Amino acid sequence: MKTTPVDSKAVHAKDFGNHFIWGVSSSALQTEGAHKTDQKGPSIWDAFADKGKIKSGHHHYQANEFYYRYLQDIDLIQQMGIPNFRFSLSWPRLLPDGVGSLNPKGIDFYHRVIDACLEKGIEPWVTLYHWDLPYLLEKKGGWTNREVIDWFLEYTQKAVKLFGDKVKHWMILNEPLVFTGAGYFGGVHAPGRKGLKNFLPASLHASICIAEGFRLVKDMQPKAQVGSTFSFSHLTPYSHAPNHLRACHKMDALLNRMFLEPTLGLGYPTEEIPALRKIEKYMKAGDDEKLKVPLDFIGVQVYTREVVKSSLFTPYLRSKLVPANERKVYHTKMNWEVYPKSIYEIVKKVQSYKGVNQIIVTENGASFEDELFLGRVEDLHRIHYLKQHMEELFKAKQDFHKLNGYFVWSLTDNFEWAEGYHQRFGLVYVDFETQMRFTKNSGYWYRDFLSGAGK
Ligand code: FCB
């Protein structure tokens, strides 16, 4: 199909060198559907959606039917010339009770997905946990129960034994701050729990799982590249008044440091957030050392920047974010400011830590109001977003040698957690009535960016 004209002066994938990793990302719960099919066990999101907790009563029960349409979707990746595909395994599809017996149908499904990728020359990048905890484990306390470390390691051991011969790139957890913060502190994601007493143990156990999971995968597959992904946002204080600067440091400690720093042996940022000291209550002797882990790569996920204001009424943090629409800046449908420099600033920040081996941007992308017209989606806003981010990424690549890859979020429109289907992030449009796929102009743009067409 005809494409958007390519600007020959613009940055292209080739400018990043031959070894730079280019890809596209997705996750199991957001795409697969088939939530009760073929002996899949329930996840915490099933229970959450059953209670009507998703915007407009949406749910992920069908999602975009990746479970049935994976061949078509992997074809689309090939047509766009994208060499790497990041997706996640559904823990309850493989282990319906969370632990114990494996589900042969689940095993078969992921073998088929991985084989289809490999047959088409697409490298699979597998995330072990992208937020869909088996519901039966949540009944036993979920992430707040220290036993989750054993449960997770049992699942990891089984998954790597099953797929480790074919999968050479693994990510342990996806964005621990988001699933513990939204799921165990704010109650806006599954399992909908609230408060510090849930958040702190869940966070600690998630961090231990990153470290122990890494060691286990490396023991089993020493040559595999193993990382974990973290959410980051570039932060700017509301003004240079000392109270806003202080607020900005606190927010930075929560949003950017709380999960990365313990993995690097730096402990928790308790000076900025004294309430984090309470995490010690859940720690056992030796945990400090256990948390330290030489990840092969840090998966950086960055979408926006945030402006931070002092807020005396906000417990623990005394700071809050000023939403993009209030600031009257250009933003996506998620109300996330479009601020491409954020990607540069975050790579700079992550590289500045001693002990970081490699940085791969494992998610970046944008949701806009897309319109399907005569089979086309002319998503100029998304193209613009991606182009600008590539320019900043290119600058980052020149300045920070540890940066080595970039994945767009996401392949197809999908189920955007608490936002349901209101947010479309895909390079491929999905008509959720018919489940038909239509590559958006941004998909064609990414194809041309990768091939260097027009250069
Ligand atoms: C990230 C999640 C991903 C997707 C994007 C928009 O926080 O990892 O699943 O929802 O945001």
Side-chain angles (χ1 to χ4, degrees), residues 90-103 134 154-155 158:
S90 157
W91 182 352
R93 193 180 292 290
L94 284 168
L95 284 153
D97 299 335
V99 288
S101 358
L102 281 159
N103 171 18
E154 178 186 330
Y155 157 60
K158 288 181 166 154

Side-chain angles (χ1 to χ4, degrees), residues 260-279:
L260 180 65
E261 294 193 358
T263 70
L264 298 169
L266 299 171
Y268 286 97
T270 49
E271 214 168 284
E272 288 77 5
I273 313 178
L276 279 183
R277 293 209 178 97
K278 294 190 185 146
I279 212 164

Side-chain angles (χ1 to χ4, degrees), residues 108-333:
D108 180 58
F109 170 64
Y110 291 114
H111 271 305
R112 283 184 281 123
V113 171
I114 294 165
D115 290 345
C117 288
L118 295 174
E119 275 158 29
K120 292 185 185 300
I122 296 162
E123 191 61 30
W125 288 60
V126 172
T127 311
L128 283 159
Y129 183 74
H130 202 127
W131 307 356
D132 46 354
L133 188 75
Y135 181 66
L136 296 182
L137 300 182
E138 176 59 25
K139 298 264 265 190
K140 298 185 195 162
W143 283 98
T144 66
N145 183 342
R146 197 174 166 107
E147 281 181 61
V148 72
I149 302 166
D150 295 331
W151 304 331
F152 181 72
L153 292 178
E154 178 186 330
Y155 157 60
T156 299
Q157 196 267 343
K158 288 181 166 154
V160 176
K161 192 163 172 223
L162 286 165
F163 309 115
D165 288 347
K166 300 176 188 172
V167 174
K168 304 294 170 211
H169 298 90
W170 295 89
M171 284 142 288
I172 308 294
L173 301 185
N174 182 68
E175 295 188 354
L177 175 70
V178 179
F179 81 77
T180 57
Y184 287 84
F185 184 78
V188 293
H189 276 192
R193 294 218 250 160
K194 289 187 184 160
L196 221 49
K197 66 175 193 306
N198 289 313
F199 174 63
L200 292 180
S203 304
L204 173 68
H205 302 147
S207 290
I208 296 177
C209 281
I210 293 175
E212 297 281 79
F214 170 86
R215 286 186 274 271
L216 177 58
V217 183
K218 286 300 256 193
D219 265 358
M220 297 176 71
Q221 292 285 334
K223 289 203 184 124
Q225 284 280 298
V226 186
S228 204
T229 81
F230 302 84
S231 48
F232 294 96
S233 290
H234 177 54
L235 304 181
T236 310
Y238 187 67
S239 81
H240 284 277
N243 59 333
H244 297 314
L245 286 172
R246 251 192 325 270
C248 200
H249 281 128
K250 284 174 180 291
M251 193 58 87
D252 182 49
L254 176 71
L255 297 189
N256 297 322
R257 299 172 50 199
M258 183 184 159
F259 282 89
L260 180 65
E261 294 193 358
T263 70
L264 298 169
L266 299 171
Y268 286 97
T270 49
E271 214 168 284
E272 288 77 5
I273 313 178
L276 279 183
R277 293 209 178 97
K278 294 190 185 146
I279 212 164
E280 278 168 20
K281 196 170 117 192
Y282 305 96
M283 289 177 89
K284 295 223 163 127
D287 274 2
D288 275 328
E289 266 310 296
K290 220 180 236 175
L291 289 168
K292 203 173 153 189
V293 55
L295 294 171
D296 292 328
F297 63 90
I298 304 294
V300 162
Q301 317 209 140
V302 54
Y303 289 87
T304 187
R305 79 138 167 194
E306 299 287 358
V307 169
V308 188
K309 205 175 180 179
S310 155
S311 158
L312 292 179
F313 299 110
T314 309
Y316 314 119
L317 267 190
R318 311 277 172 237
S319 58
K320 67 174 185 191
L321 306 177
V322 188
N325 55 354
E326 272 178 35
R327 289 186 272 127
K328 302 199 173 16
V329 289
Y330 176 44
H331 56 272
T332 69
K333 203 179 169 198

Side-chain angles (χ1 to χ4, degrees), residues 27 30 130-131 174-175 178 301 303 336 363 409 416-417 425:
S27 86
Q30 293 176 275
H130 202 127
W131 307 356
N174 182 68
E175 295 188 354
V178 179
Q301 317 209 140
Y303 289 87
W336 293 348
E363 284 185 24
W409 181 270
E416 179 47 37
W417 310 110
F425 276 89

